Amino acid sequence: MATTINIDPLTRIEGHLSIRTDIDSGKVVKAYTSGDMFRGFEVILAGRDPLDAQQIVQRICGMCPVAHGVASILAQDALYGCAVPDNGRLVRNLILGAEFIHSHITHFYHLSAIDFVDIKAITKYTGNDPVLQDLRSWVETELASNRVLPGAPFLPRYEGNYAQDPELNIAAIRHYLDALEMRKLAHRMAVLFCGKLPHAASLVPGGITEGVTMRQIAAFSSMLSDLRRFIDRVYIPDVLAVAAAFPDYFAIGRGCGNFLAYGVFPESADGKTLFIPSGVLKADKPAALDVSLITEDVTSSRFSSPSGLHPSKGQTQADPQKKDAYSWMKAPRYDGAPMEVGPLARVLIAYKAGHAQICKLVDDMLAKTKVKPEALMSVMGRHAARAIECKAVADRCAAWLDQLKEDQSACVDYTVPESGAGVGLTEAPRGALGHWISIADHKIERYQCVVPTTWNCSPRDAQGQAGPVEQALEGVAVADQNQPIEVARVVRSFDPCGACAVH
Amino acid sequence: MLAGMLGLGPTAVSRLADAAEAIAAGAAPVLWLQGLSCSGCTISLLNSDSPGPAEIITKYLSLGFHSTLSAATGKVATDAIQSMIAKAKGDYILVMEGAIPADMPLACNIGGQDIGQLFQTAAAGAKTVMAVGTCAVYGGVPAAEQNPTGAVSVAKYMTDQEIDVPLVAIPGCPAHPDWVVGTLAHLLKFGMPKLDMKHRPVAFYSKSIHELCLRCHDYDNDIFAAKFGDDGCLHKLGCVGPTTYADCTLRQWNSGTNVCTRCGGGCIGCTTESFARRRDIAMFKKPAPQTQPAAKG
């Protein structure tokens, strides 16, 4: 007899998400992911000036606004026929690259690691690091206080099988604090070229408004080297240490086994050569991406608009009380199949394509973790892929920085036509991101976003196929139904963003 | 740094330094809820300097619950929220990030409760309600014209539901971390800061973006950018710095690194009540491209 366990809210993600699981004999037999917030961006955008779009869509997500801004300006570049100058393309890569670094570091340390690391280990700290000594005193004072929630926001938590190794726990706690400064630094680095974050000011169709000066190049270079040192010497070693402490998580949370990437970071003026390539992997067979095969099913989603439309014809008509619907997320499908998107998808697709940097990093990671490539399709594989990608992107940023031409334009002018359509395909830190725009009478006629977490956390479709996260949860063993930490670990490995996914 | 932020003299510095200790001793529990939001104000808060994010989490605030940061998940999280409301009644600051979907309660759910219900309960027991970000303060993008959820600001929701608790408003999309941390520090050490008619702390919102802008000199000299990427004042590209009140151009963003007008994007008025609201008012102006004179043969 199955019992139902709700995890509502699933915290330490962006936005609002909940998970319902049916558990039988200690294992998840069925799982349902619900996007719990709807704002209606696509509805709000209709009838507006198209240039508003790149600013408004950034407000979809405070974690990855640049990715939304870039998707929008790529769609508009296509629509207006802009030939973006090299400086514009490179600076966009640098700003988005910085967002990847910020997001991946935040996800590992601040959103995920405390599911594995024992935060309480700080109370047993006996070393000489003044920062950790202060943290220990703070925790001791808290625990001895009459506070309502002593030690919050780190306590209370699910109790479970946290890491036992004091050295790992203490190092990870110290790095949680360091990583707060590192993610902030990644934002600062982007802001040299984008004005402010979250919600960048310099992204426009045609390029980037900010000029390229030696001051910014030098400052970016300095910040980047601090970040690369952290990634190489702290982030990747910590992922390896957590992987060594939890080897079973290379066999947990496999998912649907289908992967999709639009690719990101154009390396050529025509935008066709990408640093992270596009592609599809189905049953381990690589294929080229065919965007015409994308549809959005709304069978289990709270929308009354037609199901199965291509995003260029997409509609968003809310129906909060829709019978049998359990999520605000639509269910994107590729040739009818659910697809996992994100760092794991990108890394596997690049690995299959023989991408030099990625192959080296993956092989190195596999050698150190002593697992086979198939084991990457797992909770720990997603964390490993994210760290690998973070390093590859940070390293590549140095090359883009070198290609900048000081004091040359980063922006071209253009004319907005009366009507037309464009699509902007890119990657957010958490996966493939597409914006479809069409305009009529100089105004937005239709705007549709298909977002990474919409793919990953999608609900069931008309064929009854569960979404990737729902599939990844099936079969997961839960030791204590009142503390379903195993479920939370699987879901968080996808780095969900509920705000993005519904928009 | 904080004293500088608040425009306070040196004698206030030691009192501010005490603030951390007072807070650590249990004076300032904070309950942080997110409604129709993008979490951008949370991410922005983590970009704070002096105090940095670690200090904020462990010393300045006792974050009883915060959806993005709390270890607590599922029932552990809803229990934490409920125990804060029940046991710290009258003591805690309720921070609300995001708008409230007044006409479509199902558009935002936390722990099986819609955000409106949860906000009502939490606000009723709060010492102060702090609306953080333009969505919470005015409605912002979720409340833009033709929005499907009937999104409203915290102030409107409180009036409609007759919730009578002191309100302080920190608009901005996102709110600058100095504005949030500075206001919290003031609340904890000195009580409510001086507010204007819209509940905003006067210290941060009394000057226009334009008067403190690096490009103000260009405006005075009639030097205007004709297209993005040009030097000169951005007014003709749609910059609304003259009618937007906040100290961004002086303070700058992300540890003083840059600001919207400096980077050439212009001010889109993200701290204002009208931000993004009307679809017939474009954020940017697009002057017709200047035709190049034909090359001489």
Side-chain angles (χ1 to χ4, degrees):
Chain A
M1 179 65 192
T3 48
T4 298
I5 304 291
N6 283 321
I7 303 184
D8 180 8
L10 189 105
T11 51
R12 275 182 284 119
I13 56 155
E14 295 300 334
H16 301 261
L17 185 74
S18 61
I19 309 291
R20 178 160 60 93
T21 54
D22 294 341
I23 297 184
D24 198 355
S25 311
K27 283 191 171 173
V28 175
V29 286
K30 275 196 173 138
Y32 303 83
T33 52
S34 300
D36 291 328
M37 178 185 67
F38 169 67
R39 288 167 293 171
F41 272 77
E42 291 155 343
V43 183
I44 287 166
L45 281 162
R48 297 188 76 118
D49 188 284
L51 298 180
D52 285 4
Q54 51 88 2
Q55 278 299 328
I56 289 186
V57 297
Q58 289 194 62
R59 273 72 188 176
I60 288 174
C61 182
M63 184 68 115
C64 60
V66 172
H68 285 284
V70 165
S72 185
I73 57 180
L74 288 174
Q76 293 183 65
D77 286 345
L79 175 51
Y80 310 152
C82 301
V84 176
D86 282 346
N87 267 1
R89 171 179 58 81
L90 293 163
V91 172
R92 286 177 180 179
N93 284 354
L94 290 168
I95 299 170
L96 185 57
E99 178 166 278
F100 271 57
I101 297 168
H102 139 80
S103 184
H104 287 358
I105 290 174
T106 307
H107 176 262
F108 181 70
Y109 286 100
H110 310 122
L111 306 184
S112 283
I114 47 182
D115 286 336
F116 296 98
V117 169
D118 186 6
I119 277 283
K120 286 183 181 167
I122 190 69
T123 57
K124 300 199 177 76
Y125 180 66
T126 54
N128 296 323
D129 181 337
V131 173
L132 289 172
Q133 287 174 340
D134 277 3
L135 189 66
R136 186 192 61 208
S137 322
W138 174 74
V139 172
E140 284 168 353
T141 312
E142 283 276 316
L143 294 177
S145 74
N146 58 355
R147 262 186 201 298
V148 177
L149 296 163
F154 304 109
L155 300 170
R157 59 175 186 178
Y158 283 150
E159 293 308 326
N161 60 333
Y162 291 101
Q164 302 287 313
D165 176 2
E167 205 177 321
L168 163 63
N169 285 325
I170 293 297
I173 291 167
R174 173 70 213 226
H175 298 156
Y176 177 103
L177 302 175
D178 296 342
L180 283 169
E181 292 300 320
M182 286 294 133
R183 60 145 298 282
K184 190 167 99 183
L185 183 65
H187 257 190
R188 268 188 80 192
M189 183 170 82
V191 164
L192 288 163
F193 287 115
C194 74
K196 85 176 206 305
L197 278 175
H199 308 323
S202 70
L203 307 174
V204 286
I208 289 289
T209 62
E210 179 65 284
V212 174
T213 65
M214 206 57 230
R215 177 190 78 84
Q216 290 149 305
I217 294 172
F220 198 107
S221 175
S222 161
M223 295 180 196
L224 181 62
S225 61
D226 283 355
L227 287 162
R228 289 172 72 189
R229 186 171 55 220
F230 181 81
I231 294 163
D232 288 350
R233 299 197 205 162
V234 179
Y235 178 19
I236 290 179
D238 281 348
V239 171
L240 287 168
V242 170
F246 292 86
D248 45 333
Y249 275 88
F250 277 115
I252 295 173
R254 182 175 188 276
C256 63
N258 303 325
F259 299 93
L260 175 145
Y262 297 151
V264 62
F265 303 120
E267 297 277 20
S268 61
D270 64 6
K272 286 184 180 153
T273 312
L274 300 167
F275 175 59
I276 305 275
S278 74
V280 170
L281 270 183
K282 258 179 156 178
D284 228 22
K285 288 205 181 66
L289 173 74
D290 177 354
V291 180
S292 71
L293 297 178
I294 297 169
T295 52
E296 286 198 299
D297 186 291
V298 297
T299 304
S300 303
S301 320
R302 298 187 182 114
F303 300 101
S304 58
S305 25
S307 192
L309 298 172
H310 186 267
S312 63
K313 304 283 178 215
Q315 296 178 32
T316 304
Q317 180 65 48
D319 182 2
Q321 309 286 354
K322 181 172 162 182
K323 195 169 175 293
D324 297 331
Y326 62 90
S327 180
W328 280 110
M329 289 184 208
K330 295 179 181 176
R333 297 292 183 257
Y334 182 81
D335 200 11
M339 309 295 285
E340 177 173 344
V341 299
L344 176 61
R346 292 189 290 251
V347 163
L348 289 178
I349 287 163
Y351 188 68
K352 285 273 177 192
H355 188 289
Q357 292 100 316
I358 300 280
C359 286
K360 185 180 173 310
L361 291 167
V362 170
D363 289 337
D364 198 33
M365 182 72 79
L366 292 173
K368 285 181 176 148
T369 51
K370 301 188 183 68
V371 299
K372 298 209 158 65
E374 308 84 77
L376 290 172
M377 296 181 197
S378 63
V379 167
M380 210 48 76
R382 289 186 192 94
H383 289 297
R386 201 169 283 112
I388 284 169
E389 180 179 75
C390 193
K391 173 167 172 55
V393 169
D395 289 353
R396 192 64 194 158
C397 279
W400 295 324
L401 202 59
D402 278 346
Q403 293 168 35
L404 287 176
K405 302 262 186 339
E406 193 196 351
D407 291 331
Q408 286 189 16
S409 171
C411 195
V412 290
D413 205 7
Y414 52 86
T415 309
V416 178
E418 191 190 335
S419 63
V423 52
L425 300 179
T426 186
E427 295 277 337
R430 43 199 60 63
L433 174 64
H435 284 199
W436 280 258
I437 185 174
S438 63
I439 62 173
D441 196 18
H442 300 288
K443 301 288 185 204
I444 296 171
E445 179 186 45
R446 184 193 309 274
Y447 204 104
Q448 288 283 314
C449 311
V450 183
V451 182
T453 300
T454 331
W455 287 98
N456 287 339
C457 288
S458 62
R460 282 161 175 72
D461 59 26
Q463 278 67 48
Q465 296 181 99
V469 168
E470 294 177 333
Q471 291 191 33
L473 285 168
E474 286 174 14
V476 170
V478 177
D480 176 353
Q481 297 190 4
N482 294 318
Q483 319 270 349
I485 191 169
E486 300 88 349
V487 172
R489 284 171 179 161
V490 172
V491 179
R492 288 199 183 101
S493 73
F494 286 84
D495 190 6
C497 178
C500 273
V502 180
H503 43 274
Chain B
M1 181 73 184
L2 259 181
M5 274 180 209
L6 293 163
L8 299 173
T11 52
V13 175
S14 62
R15 284 200 283 165
L16 275 172
D18 300 344
E21 280 173 43
I23 298 158
V30 172
L31 176 59
W32 188 300
L33 297 178
Q34 295 173 334
L36 300 180
S37 89
C38 71
S39 308
C41 291
T42 290
I43 299 296
S44 185
L45 178 71
L46 295 177
N47 287 338
S48 177
D49 269 329
S50 308
E55 261 183 295
I56 290 176
I57 297 171
T58 59
K59 287 189 181 147
Y60 278 68
L61 311 181
S62 168
L63 268 178
F65 179 75
H66 188 302
S67 186
T68 317
L69 295 169
S70 280
T73 297
K75 189 166 181 303
V76 178
T78 45
D79 285 352
I81 297 172
Q82 293 311 327
S83 67
M84 182 77 139
I85 293 171
K87 294 180 189 161
K89 198 168 168 53
D91 277 342
Y92 61 88
I93 296 170
L94 173 65
V95 176
M96 181 68 187
E97 176 181 4
I100 299 173
D103 297 344
M104 195 190 277
L106 273 172
C108 187
N109 252 271
I110 297 171
Q113 231 187 346
D114 70 71
I115 187 67
Q117 282 177 310
L118 182 56
F119 174 79
Q120 276 183 51
T121 317
K127 185 177 184 184
T128 309
V129 173
M130 194 166 154
V132 169
T134 296
C135 298
V137 173
Y138 299 123
V141 172
E145 193 176 353
Q146 66 196 12
N147 81 80
T149 64
V152 298
S153 68
V154 165
K156 168 97 169 66
Y157 197 79
M158 284 173 70
T159 308
D160 292 351
Q161 303 296 328
E162 298 177 353
I163 300 168
D164 187 19
V165 174
L167 170 69
V168 55
I170 314 292
C173 191
H176 195 295
D178 290 2
W179 305 337
V180 177
V181 176
T183 303
L184 278 167
H186 200 291
L187 275 172
L188 299 169
K189 193 64 187 169
F190 307 104
M192 191 63 96
K194 188 177 174 199
L195 304 179
D196 64 16
M197 297 290 285
K198 293 179 176 174
H199 306 280
R200 298 173 299 186
V202 171
F204 304 120
Y205 297 97
S206 55
K207 298 264 187 194
S208 78
I209 296 292
H210 178 69
E211 64 194 287
L212 303 170
C213 180
L214 283 170
R215 294 175 192 250
C216 194
H217 178 76
D218 291 330
Y219 177 88
D220 294 340
N221 290 284
D222 265 350
I223 302 166
F224 291 98
K227 60 175 174 28
F228 287 113
D230 285 357
D231 289 334
C233 171
L234 304 165
H235 185 60
K236 292 186 178 174
L237 298 175
C239 178
V240 292
T243 53
T244 301
Y245 285 78
D247 63 6
C248 306
T249 30
L250 179 69
R251 183 177 304 284
Q252 308 217 21
W253 281 79
N254 302 82
S255 313
T257 305
N258 208 338
V259 64
C260 305
T261 54
R262 179 171 164 188
C263 82
C267 173
I268 57 171
C270 79
T271 60
T272 65
E273 192 162 4
S274 56
F275 173 60
R277 295 298 281 274
R278 279 175 58 179
R279 65 174 184 161
D280 61 336
I281 300 179
M283 287 182 181
F284 301 102
K285 290 178 190 154
K286 182 74 185 75
Q290 301 187 338
T291 44
Q292 300 290 326
K296 285 179 185 164

